[in-house]
Every structure is written in C-alpha cells, then in structure tokens.
Amino acid sequence: MAELTDFEQQRDRLWAVAYRITGSVADADDAVQETWLRWQALPGDEVADPRAYLTTVVSRICYDLLRSARVRREAYIGPWLPEPVVTADGPEDRVALDESVGLAMLTVLERLTPAERTALILHDVFSVPFPEIAEVVGRSPESVRQLASRARKRVRAQAPRRSVDRGEHRRAVEAFLQAVMGGDLDGLLEILDPEVVWRSDGGGKVTAARLPVLGHEKVARFAHRLTRAFDTGTMVVHRREVNGAPGVVMVDHADGQAAVFAFTVHHGRITEIDAILNPDKLRHLDPRTV
C-alpha cells in the first residue's frame, strides 16, 4: 500500500488543483477522495514521484468531470457560477487563494474548453510541465503548449478589471453593504461602476435574474429588491472572505435561506458582483456557523 504521509503532504495541493479545474467544491472533494482510493491501491514502492503522480491522477479525474459537466452547464437555468469558498479569517484555509480562484476569474475560465482550462491551470498556476499535462488531456506536449497559449490569450482579453489593494476592495464592499441595508439608492450609484455587471446563480431553485444585469442604475435597483426578499428580523449579514477576497454572506435563520456575494473592485468602485443563491451550491456551508 502506498504511504499515507505522501498523500497527506499533497492533499491541499490536490484540492487546489481540483477546485480550479472544476469550479465545484463537491467535485473537488470527490476528486481528491477518488485519488486517495487509487493511491491506496498502489504497491508502496511503485511511484518514484508522488507529487507528480497524484497531480496527474486528480487532474485526469477533474478533466473527465469537467467534460461531462459541460452539457449540464449549457442547460443550466440562468448564469452558472462556481461554488464559493467561504472563510472567516482571511484567504488561507483549505487552499492558498489567489486571483486564479476568484469568482470572476473562474467565471472567465468557464468560457474555455475543458482541455484549454486544464492546460492553463496546470501550467500557469501549478507549473506542471507540458509532457505531464499531455498525459492528462490525451494530447501531444506541443498541442498542450498551444492549448495553454490560446487559453492565456483569451483569459487576458476577458479578465476582469480588478484592484490588488485589499483595503480598497474592502472599503468598496462595506460602502455597498451600508447603502443596500440602508436603502440608500444614491449611495449605491456612487459605489457601483457605471458599467457594473451583476450575475445571479439561482439555478432555477430560487428567484434570481436569468440574465446578467448591466449598468449601475439597474444593478442598484436589483440589489435593493433582492435584499428585501430576506426577512430583516431574522437575517444575519456576515463579512467573510469569498474566494480570497472580502465578500458577504447573508443568512436568514428562520428558513435557512442563504446567499453569498463576491465582488470585483477597480479604482474604488465595484465592477462585478457574483451572487450565488442556488442552495445546491451552498450545501458545503453550515448556515449556523458560516
């Protein structure tokens, strides 16, 4: 049997790889568990480089999951957003979070083919050599190099404008929250970029916009109406890290309804808001302790 310690040393990295490829907490958990089962079945002395072997295995599992998920996501009701990673005390928890795991960036990655996404993430984020990536996607190393290059150009062209200043980001989120909770429409218009985009993922399970909402006036009114759907007497608002950046979690403790909000900020104004409302995508969060 392969060594448990070798696997445990790689567990966080494997989960980080799996989440970035799939955009799903549940799929990432399943992929890591399946990788463990395959690792456990190996003879103890069969693998010379556990890190490379385990990365290849979990990546191949996730690549297959992503390909099978494409059809389901194309038929999804409304925008499909990744399952959020929510932490209380900063971006470090299960995985070191960075731009590659931000909700807005993961949404851009959804526009790539499964092969492009896998190649880009493995090479640019985790420095996996092209020959090893070729084993994952079943292409030649040169073909994988081209996949990564094409994906890189597409991501650079579509990547969201964003601030790297966490203080600026947090101040914008606080201003947004105060304006929403206070019913201050003018305050909302001030903090929202004129071309702000709001994406809501309700998955047909809860009320949500089925198309992105564009422009600060429409987004301000929509945000005001959405928060009014919660019972202010039982709703609790939490400031949390959402995929490595300041965000908001709203929980109605009367019925367990929850919503997670991720923000993209540029030059002090909010340019994108991703609202995850689909309860299926929040099952990994405990509304009593979030």
Side-chain angles (χ1 to χ4, degrees), residues 196-227:
V196 64
V197 178
W198 173 299
R199 290 179 291 262
S200 303
D201 183 340
K205 303 293 182 67
V206 298
T207 301
R210 297 194 177 188
L211 293 174
V213 181
L214 308 177
H216 66 324
E217 291 187 358
K218 290 182 179 179
V219 168
R221 293 189 178 92
F222 187 82
H224 183 61
R225 288 199 305 270
L226 180 65
T227 54

Side-chain angles (χ1 to χ4, degrees), residues 18 21-22 27 31 57-67:
I21 292 177
T22 64
D27 284 348
V57 172
V58 78
S59 299
R60 187 178 295 126
I61 293 170
C62 291
Y63 176 58
D64 290 340
L65 285 172
L66 189 59
R67 288 196 299 171

Side-chain angles (χ1 to χ4, degrees), residues 145-165:
R145 184 187 301 274
Q146 294 173 2
L147 283 171
S149 176
R150 185 163 62 243
R152 194 178 301 118
K153 291 177 182 177
R154 292 181 62 186
V155 168
R156 285 174 179 170
Q158 301 176 37
R161 298 169 295 155
R162 63 184 292 273
S163 170
V164 296
D165 186 327

Side-chain angles (χ1 to χ4, degrees), residues 74-91:
E74 288 173 359
Y76 195 78
I77 298 176
W80 188 96
L81 295 176
E83 295 178 9
V85 176
V86 177
T87 55
D89 299 314

Side-chain angles (χ1 to χ4, degrees), residues 66 70 109-118 147 154:
L66 189 59
R70 294 282 287 189
L109 293 177
E110 281 294 311
R111 301 166 193 164
L112 304 177
T113 68
E116 287 174 338
R117 179 172 181 165
T118 302
L147 283 171
R154 292 181 62 186

